[in-house]
Amino acid sequence: MTTLPESARALIESGRLAHCVTIDPDGGPQVSAVWIGLDGDGDGEDTEIVMAHLGEHRKVRNLRRDPRITFSLEAAETNAIGMRHYLVVHGTARVTEGGAPELLRRLGRVYTGGEFPLPPDPPPDPPPGYVVRVRVDRVGGIGPWT
Amino acid sequence: MTTLPESARALIESGRLAHCVTIDPDGGPQVSAVWIGLDGDGDGEDTEIVMAHLGEHRKVRNLRRDPRITFSLEAAETNAIGMRHYLVVHGTARVTEGGAPELLRRLGRVYTGGEFPLPPDPPPDPPPGYVVRVRVDRVGGIGPWT
């Protein structure tokens, strides 16, 4: 477990897409772009990265089998030779049931700047879904967090 | 093998960072942001995605052992409910020796808009390095390519 530097926390909460990697049953990478946020004490090691899914998508099933997960996010800044900063977070996930609509609404405001219409086209009673909670193991990439 | 749709080709050549996933020896994901380009006939199935490395970095060693590779790139557009388009390309890589400085200079002009100073601080005689050539197996994500 590790503590996220403040610069990494700020990027995670800035509404930049996270490229999320889990491992398929055949050992190959499964990749999708996701909305993520933080949950927990701002300074403590108990802060987790969270994401929400209304259905039991492939990444959720993958994480039940192999909890290793990696996120990669671009920053706006570049370094002295023009290479863009990016943050890689390696973590360990646990899948919890329920709470997805609430977290999607919270993240939707950050990512879309408005009220996100929960798909499909919003249902009157969205399923409780799944919240994936990720403990941070190590941080990499290029930027002030490395 | 598959043919890249024109929309995917355009995104790959637009200078957006590619989040590149390879598989570590322990089966976990290794992720870094890379510069990529296309090489080959514009319409044919023989088009490959190419990237260059001056040293035998971990991703190059990983690809020698397990050639599965995935790239994920963000587009500028969003869909009707505010979700950003992104392209995922799954492919099979082969590592070739030499040619890295030339390809880095070509990609550097796309990605930085100028002449990229080859690290370290440019050497008078950069090592020939490695060019990774990726055959496209399938395409995913959200956008006109799916």
Side-chain angles (χ1 to χ4, degrees), chain A residues 16-17 19 21 23 26-29 31-33 35 68 70 72-74 81-84 86 88 90 112 116-117, chain B residues 16-17 19 21 23 26-29 31-33 35 68 70 72-74 81-84 86 88 90 112 116-117:
Chain A
R16 298 301 308 248
L17 273 188
H19 299 259
V21 186
I23 301 295
D26 68 358
V31 183
S32 55
W35 295 349
R68 289 179 290 187
T70 304
S72 182
L73 295 82
E74 292 169 42
I81 56 171
M83 300 180 77
R84 187 177 286 269
Y86 69 100
V88 176
H90 295 275
T112 72
F116 179 66
Chain B
R16 296 302 307 248
L17 272 189
H19 299 258
V21 186
I23 302 294
D26 69 358
V31 183
S32 55
W35 294 350
R68 290 180 289 187
T70 304
S72 182
L73 295 81
E74 293 168 43
I81 57 171
M83 300 179 75
R84 185 177 288 268
Y86 69 99
V88 176
H90 295 275
T112 72
F116 180 65

Side-chain angles (χ1 to χ4, degrees), chain A residues 10-124:
Chain A
L11 178 59
I12 289 170
E13 294 192 303
S14 71
R16 298 301 308 248
L17 273 188
H19 299 259
C20 170
V21 186
T22 65
I23 301 295
D24 272 339
D26 68 358
Q30 189 267 338
V31 183
S32 55
V34 298
W35 295 349
I36 61 175
L38 294 175
D39 193 26
D41 177 1
D43 297 321
E45 287 195 347
D46 62 345
T47 298
E48 293 176 309
I49 296 175
V50 289
M51 61 178 181
H53 308 284
L54 291 177
E56 196 171 9
H57 301 311
R58 188 146 59 103
K59 71 176 74 61
V60 174
R61 301 196 304 274
N62 281 349
L63 292 169
R64 288 192 193 280
R65 197 190 64 255
D66 184 336
R68 289 179 290 187
I69 188 168
T70 304
F71 299 108
S72 182
L73 295 82
E74 292 169 42
E77 297 77 22
T78 56
N79 72 4
I81 56 171
M83 300 180 77
R84 187 177 286 269
H85 286 182
Y86 69 100
L87 168 69
V88 176
V89 179
H90 295 275
T92 304
R94 60 193 171 95
V95 178
T96 62
E97 308 219 349
E102 296 79 2
L103 180 55
L104 277 175
R105 284 195 195 94
R106 175 189 137 198
L107 296 177
R109 284 190 287 271
V110 175
Y111 277 85
T112 72
E115 289 302 315
F116 179 66
L118 286 174
D121 196 33

Side-chain angles (χ1 to χ4, degrees), chain B residues 32-117:
Chain B
S32 55
V34 298
W35 294 350
I36 61 175
L38 294 175
D39 192 27
D41 178 2
D43 298 321
E45 287 195 346
D46 62 345
T47 299
E48 293 176 309
I49 296 175
V50 289
M51 61 179 181
H53 307 285
L54 291 178
E56 195 170 10
H57 301 310
R58 188 146 61 102
K59 71 175 74 60
V60 175
R61 300 195 304 272
N62 281 348
L63 291 169
R64 287 191 194 280
R65 196 191 63 255
D66 184 337
R68 290 180 289 187
I69 187 168
T70 304
F71 298 108
S72 182
L73 295 81
E74 293 168 43
E77 297 77 21
T78 56
N79 72 4
I81 57 171
M83 300 179 75
R84 185 177 288 268
H85 286 182
Y86 69 99
L87 168 69
V88 176
V89 178
H90 295 275
T92 304
R94 60 192 170 94
V95 178
T96 62
E97 309 219 349
E102 296 78 3
L103 181 54
L104 277 175
R105 282 193 197 96
R106 174 189 138 198
L107 297 177
R109 283 190 287 270
V110 175
Y111 277 84
T112 72
E115 290 302 315
F116 180 65

